[in-house]
Amino acid sequence: VSPQAQHAIAEREATLTKPAGSLGQLEELTAWLGGWQQRATPQLEHVQVLVFAGNHGVVAQGVSPWPQDVTAQMVGNFRHGGAAVNQLARVAEATLSVIPVADLRPTADFTTAPAMTVPEFLAAARTGYDAVPQHCDLLCVGEMGIGNTTAAAALAATLFHGDSLLWAGRGTGLDEDGVRHKARVIDTARALHAHSLTNPLEAARHVGGYELAALLGAVLAARHAHIPVLLDGYVCTAAVAPLGCLNQQGLAHTWLAHCSAETGHAKLAAALGLSPLLALGLRLGEASGAALAIPLVRAALAYHTGMATFAQAAVSERI
Amino acid sequence: VSPQAQHAIAEREATLTKPAGSLGQLEELTAWLGGWQQRATPQLEHVQVLVFAGNHGVVAQGVSPWPQDVTAQMVGNFRHGGAAVNQLARVAEATLSVIPVADLRPTADFTTAPAMTVPEFLAAARTGYDAVPQHCDLLCVGEMGIGNTTAAAALAATLFHGDSLLWAGRGTGLDEDGVRHKARVIDTARALHAHSLTNPLEAARHVGGYELAALLGAVLAARHAHIPVLLDGYVCTAAVAPLGCLNQQGLAHTWLAHCSAETGHAKLAAALGLSPLLALGLRLGEASGAALAIPLVRAALAYHTGMATFAQAAVSERI
């Protein structure tokens, strides 16, 4: 983050025709955007939405009411422009790319083995790292993968402890019995891997998934390239949580776009010190919440760059 | 509201490639928009932002740190495109109009007399009523007026009772002593008019303001013309509160865009059964919160009309 850019932004901010601080979090967004872009005048020419897709061996345990084929079918739907995020990205004037990770080969069922080998985990993270474009002013990340709220819950529970039922939600539509079953599946995985989880990245390898690893890689790449990031929902937050666990400032370049209706997301966000821009009850994933927040960032940029100063508008200042 | 339009929207909604309900409040926004527009396929061709400006005799009591001239100066700033709402309306592709009410003549100081006579109140409401365009798919309303958070707090306290300190906030930047003084000014007004406040409209006439009356008129006009409305912050909500008090469904065509950081707004919204789309700590007024929510409504329309159905995308449905 550039203190020079943030100082210049704060100086201009103080001259604009409004009471100090009256635009609330929009003012923080402007400072965040310019600080990470290292530009005194931030820009939003290139906004990129990346959706990573992956499959999960743990669906063999009956944790989703949808067949695994839906992951590949939805990748087709994204490519043909028919999914929710296509519409949300379009109205937000963002470019959308969908990346199937590991050719949609499922991870190992993490109730019986680590989800990924070390090379598999690193390759998936590399896929995410390499997917971030060089010229990007704002990155939005999200995911698609039948069964991946189970991986997210298992990862969150592993990193932050507590009863699995606190982390396991309805996903794409489980009933109460289904959620209890999902929590038991997570318990099994936690017990199996308890002694292998020596660090947050190992946790992500053992109970995460390919698209989660790719999300982690993409958010790391954004950090290296000084690109601010809007995080999507529960799976996305769980996927990047290891970065926050490894370094208290590891997610400082990210802003949580939306607090999901999925059980565990609010708790996970709080554990990571992330404060959501939106809380509209979405629980879809696929970067929908992140795309929905793009216009808020555009609004922050627009007021900051477009408003008149007190001097320009000949408006009296406070007495 | 048209049940036929809402039924058609719900039928299409159920076919779209996402788990039922997974877009949360966006789904409710779509139904609200189409229901009030009475269109099975809602539209957002003409989005209008109206900002009503007015002056307040009660500023003689020292309730604002800004001089009263700022109201007229800000009207000029709106007209020249330099205010925050100009930028927010522009990026939301909305048309902005600013309407000075009663030629910016101040109301009477309501600590000594009713703010408006009956003809003055009705004329201001008529100004608002007539400002709503015939062809409008979504109306956003807001206000500007030095001293008007005191009028809003006095009106809210009169309608919903309780300690004036629960309704009086920092406005454009009072300190704690200033807020206590503001609450005492409101106490004086409440005591003076206690026996005259026979109904919510009389409350609005005695302790409201010209731009507040215009807001009430505009939101009533929108109801008659089947136009859905995004309400802005505290002053705006207080201004239309009499419609909610007179009829439990009186504000059903409105959606609160943003919950302000101003003390009293969350409490007032709850009293009226309004649930905000956003809560980003804004406390500016001038329809900024309403304009900021326009892209959410555009996103709701975009996903509903643009998404593929399960059949179109050849995506399997849940087991």
Side-chain angles (χ1 to χ4, degrees), chain B residues 164-248:
Chain B
S164 294
L165 267 175
L166 297 174
W167 300 106
R170 292 171 184 268
T172 49
L174 291 175
D175 60 14
E176 279 185 38
D177 283 347
V179 172
R180 277 193 292 271
H181 173 66
K182 183 173 172 176
R184 284 192 299 269
V185 167
I186 294 166
D187 285 338
T188 303
R190 290 170 76 178
L192 176 68
H193 301 299
H195 299 294
S196 315
L197 306 179
T198 49
N199 71 52
L201 294 174
E202 277 293 271
R205 178 172 80 82
H206 279 75
V207 300
Y210 287 120
E211 77 278 37
L212 280 78
L215 283 162
L216 187 150
V219 170
L220 187 63
R223 179 58 162 262
H224 291 161
H226 306 291
I227 301 169
V229 177
L230 289 177
L231 300 174
D232 194 42
Y234 187 41
V235 179
C236 185
T237 309
V240 304
L243 297 176
C245 293
L246 288 167
N247 183 322
Q248 216 178 345

Side-chain angles (χ1 to χ4, degrees), chain A residues 41-228:
Chain A
T41 304
Q43 66 181 44
L44 287 170
E45 295 297 309
H46 302 283
V47 179
Q48 175 75 52
V49 180
L50 293 179
V51 177
F52 297 99
N55 272 317
H56 295 266
V58 73
V59 298
Q61 301 301 321
V63 291
S64 175
W66 297 73
Q68 190 165 64
D69 291 349
V70 166
T71 305
Q73 291 165 351
M74 283 299 294
V75 167
N77 197 21
F78 294 130
R79 292 193 165 150
H80 290 97
V85 70
N86 296 95
Q87 324 313 318
L88 302 182
R90 178 171 43 79
V91 293
E93 297 176 60
T95 305
L96 172 66
S97 301
V98 181
I99 297 113
V101 188
D103 297 322
L104 299 187
R105 189 173 65 250
T107 52
D109 178 351
F110 57 57
T111 63
T112 60
M116 293 162 276
T117 65
V118 170
E120 285 170 340
F121 176 72
L122 293 176
R126 180 65 184 255
T127 296
Y129 197 99
D130 290 344
V132 175
Q134 285 288 314
H135 295 287
C136 180
D137 300 318
L138 177 67
L139 179 69
C140 299
V141 286
E143 46 52 51
M144 163 72 212
I146 295 299
N148 72 5
T149 59
T150 301
L155 182 51
T158 300
L159 295 174
F160 295 105
H161 316 293
D163 193 321
S164 294
L165 266 174
L166 297 173
W167 299 107
R170 292 171 183 269
T172 49
L174 290 175
D175 61 14
E176 279 184 38
D177 282 347
V179 172
R180 276 192 293 270
H181 173 66
K182 182 172 172 176
R184 284 192 300 268
V185 168
I186 294 166
D187 284 338
T188 302
R190 290 170 75 179
L192 176 67
H193 302 298
H195 300 292
S196 316
L197 306 179
T198 50
N199 72 52
L201 294 175
E202 277 294 271
R205 179 172 79 82
H206 279 76
V207 299
Y210 287 120
E211 76 278 39
L212 281 78
L215 283 162
L216 187 150
V219 170
L220 187 62
R223 180 58 162 262
H224 291 161
H226 306 291
I227 300 169

